Amino acid sequence: MLKIREYTRDLSEAARTGKLERAFGMDEQVLDLIRRVTGPSRRSVLIVGPNGVGKTTLVHALASSMAQSRDEVLRAFRVVEIDLAAIRTEKESVEHTSTTILADLKESLDTIAFIDGVGPIFLLKDVQGDQTSIARVFEPAIKQRYIACIGTLTYAEFDRVRKVDPSVDQTFEIVELRPYKEDATRALLKEARPELETQHDAKISDDAIEATLRYTKQYMPDDAWPGKAIEVLDQACARYKLKQRVHEELPEVQEDMTMRHLGAKVSPHDVKRVVTEITSIDIDAKDAEVWRDQLASRLSSFVFGQQGGVKRLSAAVTAAKAAYGTKNRPFTSLLITGPRGVGKLHACRVLAQQLYGEQNAAHVFNMAEYAGESGTAHLLGASQSASELTATPSISTQVRSGEFSICVFEGVQNADPSFFDALTSILTTGVLRDAHRKQVNLHRCSIILTMDEQESGGQAPLTGAVPPEVLSLLDGVINFERLEADTVRKMIRKRLEEFHAYLKPHGVGLRIQDAAFDLLEQTCFDKDHGVDHMPERIETLVLGPLRGIAKAQGLKPGLSFDIVAGEAGIAVTTSNA
């Protein structure tokens, strides 16, 4: 028997049991929403507004207001949230699951369906395949008023839906939520202060409220007030209380740097640290523009011949960090295109090193290894046996081992169409569910697709390999160029310099003939594969022999390794200074 609770959440029940957070400053909007959804017409409502303005919070406030009302008619209403992402991972039949849920909703005239991010129901209604049949079930039910529905969309998502289905304006009553101004947000934070203080058992200073306004405005520009301000101040209170508990239970750590700003109240320092953790921008050291330029400089030190691509990559990541906290989206989503072997995957690993301190933070999924619908199911963790196939891990197993990470889908020109169906949902909601119904949160992950294109491919291969609906959801498309000969030489030199750095402390030198350089360049680069085979060829021709000689002869001051071009190719010899 289908367990509908696996795919829905009864918000009215959650409100009655105190499991919904209180909404501040929304009394008028709640009353307006009640008037719209409780009338005899059963007209559905679409709440439109930027991220952070409180669209979801308004629906939660509606459920709480109805559940706690003294009016018996209002208390009889039930607000039920439908989890589209959970339904779309149903391995048996999405259509059967959707139809069963719809039948349950239609049983009661007092049931209101809430769909957070309702866009897929309209954007995917014409897509073939069971995984998107949810749209073909719910879209006519909403239009024909078989159920009352409240949906939410950002302005950008609303524009996309309008282009696909202009009748959406007749299907829904549109309610716009606009961002708060600074004075209104300040007043709301002061209104929320007593409850936050009670919840966290901590006092909040006026300076902390002003810091919340200042830092969220400067470093989180793509999220709207008041949502981002409430979130940051709430986290600052939690952070302060944790420090206070540590200070009381472990007084020996009071001289630790993390404890030196523990005052009597939540302070601007606590707010600053929360914003730094959310955006990864060190507020004390640099602003976003400086951080972007420094990231581009660091990437260029390791990614050669792609100055334009590196700048665009740095700008995209910086914009994502400034906007971190955006609901229902991964941290950022990008497509890197270019000929094979020009450093696309290498750039992703270097980016992971710069952002998270280790290249292993880049989880690479070679799409050639996930062929067909079964391969996609395994990749998404929708296969019960996915966890057993450790040679080709699933997204869920990798992301759970490192929430702050980059998911690289390498060679998406090899991906099955079912992958892009699932990717659309991931890019829209920022979550997926595995075979065990566990939700995998991708909000802290970057999604980077790489695609090999022929040099003369232009846009035709791009639009042919990646569906337009996926391209429209990406934060950017970055093109890497074919590598020039001097760039290949720089890459070889960089690798040899890294090895020389190991020799220098022993007083050992390393020299390479120009002729040997030319031969290495010819060997490490080819038109079809770029520099894909460069690491192993340098290892085989140069570094392996060097290590063999060093092991046999030892590293003695004054010794020099010479890389020369001989009749048999590249050779490694030694000499004394």
Side-chain angles (χ1 to χ4, degrees):
M1 181 178 178
L2 181 65
K3 296 180 180 178
I4 294 178
R5 285 181 174 270
E6 293 183 2
Y7 308 96
T8 63
R9 181 189 182 196
D10 191 329
L11 297 181
S12 299
E13 181 182 342
R16 283 191 290 269
T17 56
K19 294 180 180 178
L20 290 183
E21 294 184 6
R22 181 187 167 189
F24 298 98
M26 285 190 161
D27 293 344
E28 291 185 10
Q29 293 96 323
V30 169
L31 289 175
D32 177 63
L33 198 55
I34 288 175
R35 286 194 294 269
R36 293 174 186 268
V37 300
T38 59
S41 65
R42 294 175 61 81
R43 187 85 182 272
S44 293
V45 174
L46 181 62
I47 305 173
V48 180
N51 290 311
V53 78
K55 301 184 292 295
T56 304
T57 302
L58 175 57
V59 180
H60 287 187
L62 170 72
S64 296
S65 179
M66 287 179 162
Q68 299 164 6
S69 175
R70 295 180 179 179
D71 188 326
E72 292 184 5
V73 175
L74 287 183
R75 284 204 309 274
F77 277 89
R78 183 173 66 126
V79 183
V80 176
E81 182 173 8
I82 301 174
D83 190 340
L84 292 185
I87 297 173
R88 293 185 66 196
T89 59
E90 168 56 44
K91 61 182 182 299
E92 295 295 336
S93 171
V94 172
E95 185 166 0
H96 172 68
T97 303
S98 303
T99 304
T100 305
I101 293 173
L102 180 61
D104 179 70
L105 296 174
K106 290 166 65 176
E107 283 184 2
S108 171
L109 293 176
D110 296 331
T111 298
I112 301 169
F114 169 47
I115 304 177
D116 201 4
V118 73
I121 283 185
F122 297 91
L123 294 173
L124 300 178
K125 62 181 179 180
D126 295 325
V127 178
Q128 299 299 314
D130 186 58
Q131 289 298 306
T132 55
S133 59
I134 179 176
R136 296 193 293 275
V137 171
F138 280 100
E139 189 251 1
I142 295 172
K143 284 190 172 181
Q144 297 171 28
R145 302 187 185 181
Y146 292 142
I147 61 172
C149 176
I150 301 176
T152 66
L153 289 175
T154 64
Y155 286 121
E157 291 166 343
F158 188 35
D159 288 341
R160 284 199 294 271
V161 169
R162 268 177 165 164
K163 291 178 182 178
V164 173
D165 189 345
S167 69
V168 67
D169 290 290
Q170 285 73 50
T171 302
F172 292 97
E173 288 189 22
I174 310 300
V175 174
E176 286 194 63
L177 288 187
R178 300 191 179 278
Y180 277 35
K181 300 295 185 182
E182 184 168 337
D183 288 344
T185 306
R186 180 182 290 107
L188 185 65
L189 291 178
K190 290 183 177 180
E191 178 187 338
R193 174 159 54 184
E195 184 157 328
L196 290 174
E197 289 180 336
T198 300
Q199 178 183 341
H200 295 284
D201 190 22
K203 294 296 182 180
I204 302 172
S205 68
D206 288 338
D207 288 343
I209 290 178
E210 293 304 315
T212 300
L213 294 169
R214 181 168 65 254
Y215 294 135
T216 55
K217 179 180 181 179
Q218 182 175 358
Y219 295 100
M220 301 171 67
D222 287 355
D223 263 2
W225 279 332
K228 61 183 178 182
I230 290 288
E231 178 186 359
V232 166
L233 189 57
D234 185 30
Q235 290 191 33
C237 292
R239 185 181 188 279
Y240 171 86
K241 192 60 183 177
L242 177 62
K243 287 198 307 179
Q244 189 180 59
R245 188 177 300 116
V246 171
H247 177 72
E248 293 171 354
E249 296 177 1
L250 301 170
E252 64 271 17
V253 303
Q254 60 183 314
E255 294 303 318
D256 185 88
M257 286 294 294
T258 60
M259 305 304 296
R260 293 183 183 180
H261 296 275
L262 181 60
K265 296 181 178 181
V266 177
S267 70
H269 175 79
D270 299 299
V271 175
K272 186 187 300 182
R273 289 299 92 203
V274 167
V275 175
T276 293
E277 290 166 4
I278 288 176
T279 64
S280 295
I281 299 172
D282 190 342
I283 296 174
D284 289 327
K286 56 184 85 67
D287 60 20
E289 184 176 349
V290 174
W291 191 91
R292 178 201 63 205
D293 294 340
Q294 291 186 351
L295 176 61
S297 176
R298 293 195 299 270
L299 291 177
S300 296
S301 299
F302 298 94
V303 181
F304 295 96
Q306 305 295 348
Q307 287 79 1
V310 162
K311 286 182 179 179
R312 289 189 292 274
L313 180 59
S314 302
V317 172
T318 304
K321 286 184 174 296
Y324 181 75
T326 298
K327 302 297 186 293
N328 300 329
R329 295 276 291 173
F331 174 69
T332 189
S333 56
L334 303 166
L335 170 63
I336 304 178
T337 70
R340 183 173 178 179
V342 296
K344 301 185 291 294
L345 180 57
H346 176 63
C348 295
R349 286 178 169 143
V350 172
L351 179 63
Q353 176 72 43
Q354 295 301 319
L355 294 181
Y356 308 121
E358 57 176 340
Q359 292 194 10
N360 289 337
H363 307 310
V364 181
F365 305 94
N366 187 333
M367 298 311 298
E369 299 176 0
Y370 297 88
E373 291 190 13
S374 61
T376 299
H378 169 58
L379 174 67
L380 300 174
S383 169
Q384 291 286 357
S385 60
S387 61
E388 300 171 6
L389 303 176
T390 55
T392 52
S394 67
I395 298 174
S396 58
T397 57
Q398 293 294 81
V399 171
R400 285 198 179 104
S401 67
E403 193 177 359
F404 287 94
S405 57
I406 300 174
C407 287
V408 185
F409 300 101
E410 181 186 13
V412 293
Q413 72 277 2
N414 300 316
D416 186 81
S418 60
F419 165 73
F420 293 110
D421 291 343
L423 183 62
T424 300
S425 177
I426 291 173
L427 295 179
T428 303
T429 66
V431 298
L432 65 84
R433 288 180 184 270
D434 62 16
H436 305 287
R437 304 289 179 210
K438 292 182 179 179
Q439 180 172 290
V440 182
N441 190 328
L442 297 170
H443 294 161
R444 299 179 187 271
C445 287
S446 296
I447 304 294
I448 301 184
L449 317 178
T450 73
M451 186 174 73
D452 295 337
E453 286 189 313
Q454 299 296 326
E455 293 180 54
S456 59
Q459 287 299 311
L462 175 61
T463 55
V466 182
E469 59 267 25
V470 173
L471 289 174
S472 69
L473 292 172
L474 295 174
D475 295 325
V477 178
I478 299 168
N479 182 252
F480 274 25
E481 306 292 338
R482 183 182 185 276
L483 297 176
E484 301 296 335
D486 62 336
T487 299
V488 177
R489 292 179 75 92
K490 288 179 182 177
M491 297 173 73
I492 297 171
R493 188 180 298 278
K494 175 75 173 179
R495 184 67 187 94
L496 296 179
E497 286 176 350
E498 290 173 353
F499 189 80
H500 191 200
Y502 164 73
L503 299 176
K504 277 183 178 180
H506 300 279
V508 177
L510 180 65
R511 296 180 297 198
I512 179 170
Q513 286 183 347
D514 287 341
F517 234 137
D518 294 338
L519 189 54
L520 264 180
E521 179 188 325
Q522 296 171 17
T523 305
C524 291
F525 178 83
D526 65 67
K527 185 176 180 180
D528 293 332
H529 299 91
V531 292
D532 275 355
H533 302 303
M534 176 182 286
E536 56 262 37
R537 288 176 181 172
I538 292 179
E539 179 67 31
T540 300
L541 296 173
V542 179
L543 301 185
L546 279 172
R547 291 191 183 92
I549 295 174
K551 185 176 181 180
Q553 298 184 9
L555 297 177
K556 302 175 182 178
L559 181 68
S560 177
F561 290 102
D562 299 309
I563 305 171
V564 300
E567 294 182 1
I570 295 174
V572 178
T573 63
T574 61
S575 62
N576 291 303

